[in-house]
Amino acid sequence: MNLRTELNVRPSAWSIGLRDPVLTAGSCFADIIGRRLVANKFKSMVNPFGTTYHPLAIHKLLSYAIYQEAPAPHTYLENQDIAYNYDFHSSLSALGRPTLQKTIQELIGITHYFIKDCRFLLLTYGTAWVYERVDTGEVVANCHKMNASLFTQRLATVEEITSSAVEVVNAIRSINPSVRVILTVSPVRHVRDTLPLNSLSKSTLRVACHEISQAIADTEYFPAYEILMDDLRDYRFYRDDLIHPTELAEDIIWLKFGDAFFDKDTKAFIKQWEHVLENLAHKPFHPGRPSHRQFLVKTLDELNQLSAHVNVAHEIEQVKSMLMESPIDP
């Protein structure tokens, strides 16, 4: 019996190689895929400005990096003696505004140069609900637990999201004409908006992604949302909060992402690298046994072979250290 309506992803017209720089930006899925790209030795920058949920805020952050523009002074605030910026995630905070300004400006510069060289941009939209400041009318990325009376909530329109995306991608291509865009909708539900309004939000994002992919060349949609909602629609694929995907669900989505975007050689490397990682995680009962030392030497040889393709200096030093700390039993 087939107990799943499995979603089979068609291979993309492009492939992502280990040497292709990838920038991920947006909601939780950008973190999930980004971390796995990094773990598998892809050249990646993962959500440099922190997790951001709605498209207008994501696009604004990218614009800062494209133009190397400093956030306006009125976007900074303090709450309980901590400095924040309305356009950035709360992980970007400091004990004083000057320190935070310096951190943000350095991050904008680093991201600018990564954008100039990246081959792929993965954008993940989490919600179409936006919060606007009452005093300026500007959309914020994060309210930083300020009083709710300072903001108004509204649903961004498909046209607004599409127009904003076209503008920011055109700006990116003015400094990097070859960048390709992968769009996704986060499968994580925003239950604070209520489930009916979350559905309204996700459907708005999904239509917007379709319109964006039609309006911008070299743009594709990856169905992360549909894989979890329609294929893995069982609570065994959800964490205890019944909202976020389990590691198994993330594994399945990652495999389908690979089916869409990785070529044969990249898939072969990932399989080999998984084997190496398993070896590195191995905890022997008797480290001094000759067989274990042979195991470490074999792992070191494999790492030395891989060093021609990816940077494995840290792992090589790790194995050498294990060999030094593994005396031979008499």
Side-chain angles (χ1 to χ4, degrees):
M1 293 178 66
N2 188 356
L3 300 178
R4 282 172 57 197
T5 51
E6 185 169 358
L7 194 161
N8 295 308
V9 182
R10 290 185 300 177
S12 169
W14 341 304
S15 60
I16 303 174
L18 293 171
R19 299 181 185 275
D20 293 326
V22 182
L23 173 65
T24 74
S27 190
C28 302
F29 183 73
D31 292 316
I32 291 171
I33 289 294
R35 287 195 300 267
R36 287 172 182 259
L37 288 169
V38 170
N40 284 282
K41 297 297 181 179
F42 288 81
K43 293 182 178 180
S44 305
M45 177 177 277
V46 182
N47 248 353
F49 302 118
T51 307
T52 309
Y53 297 99
H54 61 82
L56 304 184
I58 297 167
H59 301 160
K60 187 173 184 180
L61 288 169
L62 290 172
S63 294
Y64 280 138
I66 295 162
Y67 299 110
Q68 297 192 79
E69 177 186 348
H74 71 268
T75 60
Y76 288 90
L77 69 142
E78 288 192 7
N79 189 359
Q80 297 183 350
D81 301 320
I82 304 295
Y84 301 96
N85 188 290
Y86 279 125
D87 292 332
F88 294 81
H89 189 262
S90 56
S91 60
L92 287 169
S93 58
L95 293 177
R97 181 178 297 190
T99 302
L100 180 58
Q101 287 175 318
K102 182 180 178 182
T103 299
I104 287 176
Q105 199 57 48
E106 289 175 351
L107 195 54
I108 285 172
I110 292 169
T111 307
H112 170 82
Y113 288 104
F114 193 90
I115 287 175
K116 288 184 71 173
D117 294 329
C118 79
R119 290 287 308 280
F120 294 92
L121 171 65
L122 171 66
L123 296 177
T124 299
Y125 300 146
T127 180
W129 290 103
V130 300
Y131 287 87
E132 294 176 331
R133 291 174 60 175
V134 172
D135 58 347
T136 67
E138 294 172 306
V139 170
V140 301
N142 199 304
C143 296
H144 299 300
K145 299 183 179 179
M146 297 294 283
N147 194 294
S149 64
L150 299 174
F151 311 95
T152 56
Q153 184 185 20
R154 69 174 178 85
L155 187 72
T157 66
V158 170
E159 294 75 17
E160 187 178 13
I161 295 169
T162 304
S163 174
S164 176
V166 169
E167 183 178 349
V168 77
V169 172
N170 285 340
I172 290 173
R173 287 181 176 164
S174 70
I175 61 172
N176 182 355
S178 63
V179 71
R180 290 165 170 169
V181 181
I182 301 169
L183 299 170
T184 60
V185 173
S186 170
V188 177
R189 290 165 293 171
H190 289 238
V191 294
R192 284 191 305 175
D193 296 327
T194 74
L195 288 177
L197 292 182
N198 171 74
S199 294
L200 175 62
S201 167
K202 297 293 188 183
S203 60
T204 300
L205 295 177
R206 183 61 190 91
V207 175
C209 284
H210 177 75
E211 294 297 322
I212 294 165
S213 64
Q214 297 298 302
I216 307 174
D218 287 330
T219 301
E220 289 191 11
Y221 175 76
F222 175 73
Y225 178 80
E226 290 82 356
I227 292 170
L228 193 60
M229 293 292 107
D230 298 324
D231 183 345
L232 308 180
R233 58 175 191 231
D234 187 304
Y235 277 110
R236 65 190 164 129
F237 294 112
Y238 290 82
R239 298 184 188 273
D240 290 344
D241 62 5
L242 306 181
I243 296 172
H244 290 84
T246 61
E247 188 171 350
L248 174 59
E250 292 176 3
D251 288 342
I252 293 170
I253 294 172
W254 167 251
L255 287 172
K256 290 185 178 294
F257 185 83
D259 288 341
F261 295 106
F262 299 156
D263 59 24
K264 185 188 301 183
D265 290 342
T266 304
K267 290 177 182 176
F269 168 81
I270 290 173
K271 187 173 183 179
Q272 184 181 8
W273 184 243
E274 286 175 352
H275 173 68
V276 171
L277 291 178
E278 288 174 0
N279 289 348
L280 293 174
H282 178 65
K283 301 294 183 184
F285 288 114
H286 302 287
R289 292 179 61 192
S291 60
H292 179 63
R293 290 186 63 83
Q294 291 172 5
F295 168 80
L296 291 176
V297 169
K298 184 178 179 182
T299 302
L300 185 60
D301 287 341
E302 193 168 4
L303 285 168
N304 283 324
Q305 292 174 20
L306 291 174
S307 66
H309 307 287
V310 294
N311 183 356
V312 291
H314 171 75
E315 290 79 10
I316 287 174
E317 290 304 314
Q318 182 181 347
V319 175
K320 287 181 177 178
S321 176
M322 293 165 70
L323 282 166
M324 293 285 291
E325 297 171 359
S326 178
I328 301 175
D329 289 340

